Amino acid sequence: MVLKQQARLGAYWLVGSQVVNMVTAFLLAVFLARILEIYQFGLMTLSTVVFFIGTLVTTAAFRETLIVRQDLDRDTVSALFWLSLGLSVVVAAGCALAAAPAARILDTPEFETLMWVVAGSILANGIGGVPGAIRIVKRDFARIGMQTGVLSLALAPVTVVMALQGYGALSAVMTAFIYHCITCVLNWYCAGWTPLWRVSPRAIGAARSTLLVMFGQQGLDVANSQIDRGIIGSLLGPHALGLYSIGRRLNDLMTDAIIGPSVSVTTPLIASIQGNVERLRSAYVQTLSLAMIMAVPMNLGLLAVGDLAIRVLFGEKWLDAAPVMYAFVFMGMLGAIGGVQRSVVQGGGRPGVWFRIQVVHTVANMAVIVAAASFGIVAIACAMLLRTVLLSPLAFIAAGQMTGVGRREHLRIMRAPVEAGIAMLLAVLLVRTVLPAGFAPVLSLAILVSVGAAVYVGALALIARREFLHAL
């Protein structure tokens, strides 16, 4: 009962902070899309790719190791910190040295400044990574949620002012740097932990196998989430990458809002009940139900009003991004499910299983992206969708074997949200056909969103009211 209460309280705080982050990022994306040029979004995306790669080497694997291996002693945790810090310094320095050559290759001098700022973000994130993981292990979810939400709101005006002053892509990248610096300080202040100054290199041996698996796992995650952007940016240029980025923007924001709380709360909690199959099953079913209830209306809603949303929010110049958005609608739903399944498999003590699944996904992802690259960004998005659908059963099987949730129960969990989502989709499409041709786009969008929300909640209440309340 205590575990369930902690999970709910942590989820509510983190969901709240993720909603704040999502809304803030959404409003900033709308603003920047109308201020910046398309190619500048491409440069921002390339900066993000560099940051994720740097974070993989310096922070992500260490963080996941501490979350999964909550039995590590202080010597081992200190050794992990010093190793993470050393790698952060090396990677940040390498990023700074590569700034000028990369800018010359892309023929965009402004990218050099972006690389220098990203180097600072990598270093700040690395310094605060281990204390941040300790806070998660201690289940400091409430303060983490509150702090991230407040930071997002407080730093948004910095991005706006810099963009209005003509700083372009640097406006968003600099805000991210400030965010990571402040988060680093907060993690050290709230963790209540200090590393040992002297540690034996042997101390890291207790976590070596898990750390290596997490390095591989995080590397595969970065490859799966960033390789498409890297290939598009290098082969098709910043302009094409800008369109592709906007095509993914809304879907990524919604998916992060669903997956973020699920993984952040579920992984450490499941790691503490690895040997209790009954409680593991209960946590999986409840978290998967909540993820489906949230993911279905968000993604199917974009399928119904995606082009209209782009026109109203970002402007006419971004309409070429709509086909990419439609492909990622279905990937978003599968991504939300996969995020829950990952937390169960990894937190349940079998990170090697998830690693092997991700190897298959990464190899297939690289193959389909390279094969489709010459046909443009829409072909790449469709190829990635096909890969995701064909390989999705692997995660269902792995999570099902660990929790005892079979194919029929998986279908039962997903049935009600999908049926309510289809009812919502049909209702929105029907209303859209009867709206006057000259109706203001912003009013059309408001009406369609309102109709969709009402139909989805009503249909879900009729189809599975008990399951809906239980998931919440």
Side-chain angles (χ1 to χ4, degrees):
M1 181 61 68
V2 173
L3 179 66
K4 188 173 182 179
Q5 291 175 345
Q6 288 177 332
R8 283 185 173 179
L9 179 61
Y12 290 149
W13 273 104
L14 284 179
V15 167
S17 69
Q18 288 292 332
V19 169
V20 171
N21 294 342
M22 180 181 68
V23 172
T24 303
F26 169 75
L27 293 176
L28 287 176
V30 171
F31 171 77
L32 292 174
R34 294 182 174 276
I35 296 294
L36 305 183
E37 298 295 329
I38 293 177
Y39 85 93
Q40 292 178 315
F41 267 87
L43 296 179
M44 289 169 54
T45 303
L46 286 176
S47 301
T48 302
V49 173
V50 174
F51 174 77
F52 274 115
I53 293 174
T55 300
L56 157 70
V57 177
T58 62
T59 308
F62 296 92
R63 175 181 178 275
E64 294 299 318
T65 297
L66 291 174
I67 292 174
V68 173
R69 291 289 307 277
Q70 299 183 17
D71 59 330
L72 298 176
D73 58 26
R74 189 182 179 191
D75 287 343
T76 303
V77 176
S78 297
L80 290 173
F81 166 75
W82 290 115
L83 179 57
S84 173
L85 178 61
L87 288 173
S88 299
V89 173
V90 172
V91 172
C95 184
L97 291 174
R104 286 195 296 269
I105 292 173
L106 293 173
D107 195 25
T108 51
E110 60 196 282
F111 191 65
E112 180 177 357
T113 304
L114 297 181
M115 287 282 285
W116 275 92
V117 178
V118 169
S121 295
I122 291 173
L123 182 59
N125 201 46
I127 294 172
V130 168
I134 291 173
R135 294 183 67 190
I136 294 176
V137 171
K138 291 181 176 180
R139 299 171 189 170
D140 190 14
F141 300 134
R143 286 198 297 181
I144 292 174
M146 180 182 65
Q147 289 166 0
T148 56
V150 171
L151 271 179
S152 296
L153 290 174
L155 293 176
V158 177
T159 304
V160 173
V161 171
M162 290 188 67
L164 291 175
Q165 293 296 319
Y167 285 95
L170 182 61
S171 57
V173 178
M174 180 60 73
T175 302
F177 169 67
I178 298 172
Y179 176 90
H180 291 299
C181 289
I182 297 176
T183 299
C184 174
V185 174
L186 290 173
N187 283 342
W188 277 100
Y189 178 78
C190 298
W193 172 85
T194 55
L196 298 174
W197 288 98
R198 290 186 177 183
V199 293
S200 169
R202 297 179 180 178
I204 205 169
R208 182 185 295 114
S209 60
T210 304
L211 182 62
L212 291 175
V213 170
M214 290 303 170
F215 263 121
Q217 177 65 68
Q218 293 296 318
L220 293 172
D221 285 345
V222 171
N224 278 325
S225 63
Q226 304 297 327
I227 192 172
D228 54 336
R229 296 170 169 92
I231 292 176
I232 291 171
S234 59
L235 296 182
L236 304 181
H239 183 87
L241 183 56
L243 289 173
Y244 184 83
S245 299
I246 286 293
R248 291 197 60 168
R249 179 70 59 172
L250 291 176
N251 179 271
D252 285 347
L253 289 174
M254 293 187 299
T255 301
D256 289 345
I258 299 168
I259 294 179
S262 298
V263 174
S264 298
V265 176
T266 307
T267 300
L269 291 175
I270 286 179
S272 67
I273 57 171
Q274 291 181 10
N276 193 321
V277 177
E278 182 178 349
R279 297 172 76 183
L280 185 64
R281 174 191 176 93
S282 176
Y284 175 55
V285 169
Q286 184 170 349
T287 308
L288 183 60
S289 298
L290 181 60
M292 284 295 298
I293 289 172
M294 296 174 62
V296 169
M298 290 180 176
N299 286 280
L300 289 186
L302 282 182
L303 189 62
V305 300
D307 60 328
L308 186 60
I310 289 177
R311 180 180 287 108
V312 170
L313 299 172
F314 303 122
E316 296 284 342
K317 67 181 179 182
W318 296 103
L319 283 177
D320 289 341
V324 175
M325 177 185 294
Y326 295 143
F328 278 97
V329 160
F330 300 100
M331 291 179 64
M333 287 186 285
L334 291 174
I337 296 171
V340 176
Q341 292 167 335
R342 170 183 173 175
S343 65
V344 169
V345 176
Q346 285 190 333
R350 300 183 66 183
V353 172
W354 193 260
F355 177 77
R356 289 191 289 272
I357 291 175
Q358 289 299 91
V359 168
V360 176
H361 274 273
T362 301
V363 173
N365 204 33
M366 293 178 64
V368 299
I369 291 173
V370 172
S374 60
F375 299 98
I377 59 176
V378 177
I380 290 176
C382 292
M384 293 176 63
L385 171 60
L386 179 62
R387 183 267 307 174
T388 303
V389 172
L390 292 178
L391 297 180
S392 61
L394 296 176
F396 279 98
I397 293 172
Q401 289 177 342
M402 292 192 63
T403 61
V405 177
R407 179 175 59 87
R408 290 186 177 181
E409 187 162 4
H410 274 118
L411 293 175
R412 181 190 63 79
I413 294 171
M414 295 185 291
R415 180 185 62 84
V418 170
E419 290 178 351
I422 292 174
M424 176 200 72
L425 177 62
L426 294 176
V428 171
L429 292 176
L430 178 62
V431 172
R432 186 170 183 178
T433 60
V434 301
L435 288 176
F439 213 58
V442 64
L443 294 178
S444 298
L445 183 61
I447 292 172
L448 294 174
V449 169
S450 300
V451 169
V455 172
Y456 180 77
V457 173
L460 198 60
L462 290 174
I463 297 171
R465 182 174 181 272
R466 187 179 66 178
E467 290 82 354
F468 174 67
L469 294 176
H470 176 70
L472 297 178

